[in-house]
Amino acid sequence: MTSTPVGMPRGFVALYTLAYCGLFVAFMPFVSILLQVKVAAIDPANRVTLLGQAVLGGALIASIANIAAGWLSDIGWRRSGSRRAPIALGLVLIAFAFAAVHAATTAPMLLAAIAFWQVALNLMFAPMVAVMADEVPDGAKGRLSGLLGISHPIGVLSAAAVTAPVFATEAARFTANVALAVVMILPFLLFARERGAGGTHAEAPTATALARSDLIRAWLARLAMQVAGNGLTAYAFFHFADRWRGQGDAAGPVAQAMAVVTGVVVVATILAGRWSDRVGGRKPFLGGATLLVVVGLIGMALAPGFAGAAIGYGVTQTGLSIFLALHSALAMQLLPSPATRGRDLAILNLTNTLPACVPPLLAALVPAGAGLGAVFVALALVAAAGGLTALTIRSER
């Protein structure tokens, strides 16, 4: 396999991957660390409530902003053949948004600044995702989707980088966060050239109706799998801690286990993406990934010790990463019209924001005293439903 897929300009994959990872750098340090620190500084007595308001309000704004940004990028693409203008605007605005968050001294100011930040972030995110559908041939979408699996680990590493001792103040951390994102995204804006290598599919009425029906199935499948993933993220640490029998607390061993799992997941996802391109089908891989998720979650629920739970966690995360990466590739192949790729992908992106509200509801539905094992069994059932729904997709170009 060549380093650059047929029909794509040399260097495009590198520039696009770097920029896509830059989006994760733009938000992961903030949502994982910097926001919590800011919330605690503004209202330490009510930090949990304020953080909840920020997260839920931000998810709502993100959902609306992502769809609007996708729609606007479609208009720009139809007129100029490029989606870089909203990405560039978002990159400028996110610098001002971080400045607004830094300047916030009250809860209302912070919530308003976060809303602004979400708009700026999604001005970049929606068009950037649509660029892949525009530019990457169907036969290479799996490969690139798998490669983009490195974006989450890079986001995690960037959170450690911008909170390093050299960036001791809040202003320094926000500045470092913006600078790192700019360095990663700007080369794509300056040097990448959009040529429409993703092709345009014919829009016969029957084909469009079939594609839209399958997009609904794809939406439901991804929503279910994201619910499972969010539930795992929310409760994995507590589950590990319940099974830790060593000296000291479980934080260190859990972090080490997650680091090892991350390395395995990245490699497995890249290989699965390449293999699916060679095979020419995504659904067999989605089915296999679903099986991994279900087996891993049930394994976590039944494991009596820390090591067993860690193995189950690794199996689950591997399945989740492969499923979500190849689901993205398949969904892009199902889009009914090149003219509305940004909007359609933004609607699909709702499956990334809505599941954030599910873990608390899920925990409330589990009988008191049942333990977290019951939560993971419930998540396994949700994941199985999502995987089966994905397998009912009838068209796969």
Side-chain angles (χ1 to χ4, degrees), residues 5-225:
V6 176
M8 295 179 62
R10 184 175 298 276
F12 180 88
V13 170
L15 290 171
Y16 182 80
T17 302
L18 181 66
Y20 192 87
C21 291
L23 296 181
F24 279 71
V25 169
F27 81 86
M28 284 198 68
F30 181 63
V31 299
S32 62
I33 298 176
L34 301 181
L35 175 59
Q36 286 86 333
V37 173
K38 185 66 177 182
V39 164
I42 288 179
D43 192 352
N46 299 295
R47 60 183 182 178
V48 174
T49 300
L50 180 55
L51 181 61
Q53 293 172 345
V55 171
L56 291 177
L60 177 61
I61 296 296
S63 300
I64 298 171
N66 196 268
I67 294 174
W71 174 68
L72 288 172
S73 78
D74 285 337
I75 295 174
W77 185 83
R78 290 194 295 268
R79 291 176 176 175
S80 66
S82 174
R83 300 185 191 268
R84 282 180 290 168
I87 298 173
L89 176 60
L91 188 59
V92 172
L93 292 182
I94 205 163
F96 288 101
F98 271 116
V101 172
H102 173 59
T105 56
T106 65
M109 289 176 65
L110 178 62
L111 294 176
I114 291 171
F116 179 27
W117 179 85
Q118 286 284 12
V119 170
L121 179 68
N122 283 281
L123 266 175
M124 294 188 290
F125 235 113
M128 188 71 78
V129 173
V131 165
M132 179 176 167
D134 294 335
E135 301 299 316
V136 182
D138 287 351
K141 283 184 169 70
R143 172 190 172 186
L144 186 53
S145 293
L147 182 60
L148 295 181
I150 67 173
S151 56
H152 188 275
I154 287 179
V156 172
L157 291 174
S158 72
V162 304
T163 56
V166 67
F167 304 117
T169 66
E170 180 181 279
R173 290 171 175 174
F174 283 142
T175 301
N177 199 161
V178 171
L180 188 55
V182 169
V183 166
M184 297 177 74
I185 297 171
L186 192 59
F188 173 82
L189 297 175
L190 294 177
F191 304 117
R193 292 295 176 264
E194 296 160 84
R195 301 182 182 181
T200 58
H201 300 301
E203 279 194 271
T206 55
T208 300
L210 177 61
R212 292 200 179 279
S213 174
D214 279 341
L215 274 177
I216 293 173
R217 290 181 169 86
W219 193 92
L220 293 172
R222 189 178 184 90
L223 178 67
M225 200 60 71

Side-chain angles (χ1 to χ4, degrees), residues 63 214-232 286 290 293 297 320 323-324 327-328 331 345-359 361-362 378-390 393:
S63 300
D214 279 341
L215 274 177
I216 293 173
R217 290 181 169 86
W219 193 92
L220 293 172
R222 189 178 184 90
L223 178 67
M225 200 60 71
Q226 290 281 41
V227 166
N230 274 261
L232 176 64
L286 296 179
T290 300
V293 174
L297 286 170
L320 279 168
F323 184 95
L324 294 175
H327 179 280
S328 293
L345 286 170
I347 292 173
L348 189 66
N349 184 67
L350 290 173
T351 61
N352 297 329
T353 54
L354 294 178
C357 306
V358 172
L361 177 62
L362 181 64
L379 292 174
L381 293 175
V382 172
L388 290 173
T389 302
I393 292 173

